[in-house]
Structure formats: C-alpha cells, structure tokens
Amino acid sequence: MESIKNSDTFFPKTSEIQWLNLLKKLPRRLKICLLNEISFENSLIAIYSSNWPDEGSVVALLSNKFRTKKFDKDLHFRELNDPHYCNEEISYVEDNVTHLIIN
C-alpha cells in the first residue's frame, strides 16, 4: 500500500479496503500488467470505479508512462498524449465491461 498514492484533487478519497476491493475487480490480465509496472517503480496513484467507460469499469491511474510496451495480445494499448485525459491507455474488456490502466 505504500506505493499507492490517492490524489484527492482528481479522485474521491478511497480507503485501503475500497482500493483492495477495486483491485480484486480488475481483470487478471490487467492486474499482471499493473504489478509489472509497479515492479518497475511506476506508482499507482489512484484506482476508482465511476461507471465510465462502462457501468462497473475499474480504472487504475499510474504516475508515469508504461515502462514496457509489450503486452498480452488481448490487451489494447493506445498512446494518446491528451492533456485532458491521459498519455497512454491499456484497456481490456471482460464480460462486456471495459477496464483501464492509464497514465
């Protein structure tokens, strides 16, 4: 939990138990990607579920760009460099719900 930083500026305050529950909802393939990024010292800033882009979606926000560009073939990577949204996005659809890791 020490590598997790919740930003009250952009996201509602979330307890550690809420974070863990959201991490459990994140699809396995995205969890693996997230853990890889954390192992490369890319901090998890926030994790939330605001029913965007789909109802039940979980979105994880990392502090830096992805350290690796090799992803599971079922993950969709996009480099956006959008100052209003994010620099990069990895998405995965499970049970018709899109889940994201962004930075």
Side-chain angles (χ1 to χ4, degrees), residues 3 13-14 16 21 54 56 61 64 73-74 81 89 101:
S3 67
K13 193 157 185 86
T14 308
E16 289 180 7
N21 285 333
D54 301 313
L61 174 63
N64 298 299
K73 65 179 174 68
D74 294 322
N81 295 315
E89 167 191 275
I101 301 175

Side-chain angles (χ1 to χ4, degrees), residues 72-87:
D72 182 297
K73 65 179 174 68
D74 294 322
L75 298 178
H76 179 68
F77 171 78
R78 293 191 313 162
E79 188 169 9
L80 302 163
N81 295 315
D82 181 343
H84 302 289
Y85 174 50
C86 70
N87 291 310

Side-chain angles (χ1 to χ4, degrees), residues 8-46:
D8 293 336
T9 307
F10 300 107
F11 306 102
K13 193 157 185 86
T14 308
S15 73
E16 289 180 7
I17 290 176
Q18 289 169 313
W19 275 61
L20 292 172
N21 285 333
L22 288 170
L23 283 170
K24 285 166 62 175
K25 288 183 180 179
L26 199 63
R28 184 177 183 278
R29 288 186 169 116
L30 285 179
K31 280 183 205 167
I32 291 168
C33 181
L34 183 61
L35 290 173
N36 284 338
E37 287 298 315
I38 290 170
S39 74
F40 291 130
E41 299 181 5
N42 198 351
S43 297
L44 178 60
I45 294 175

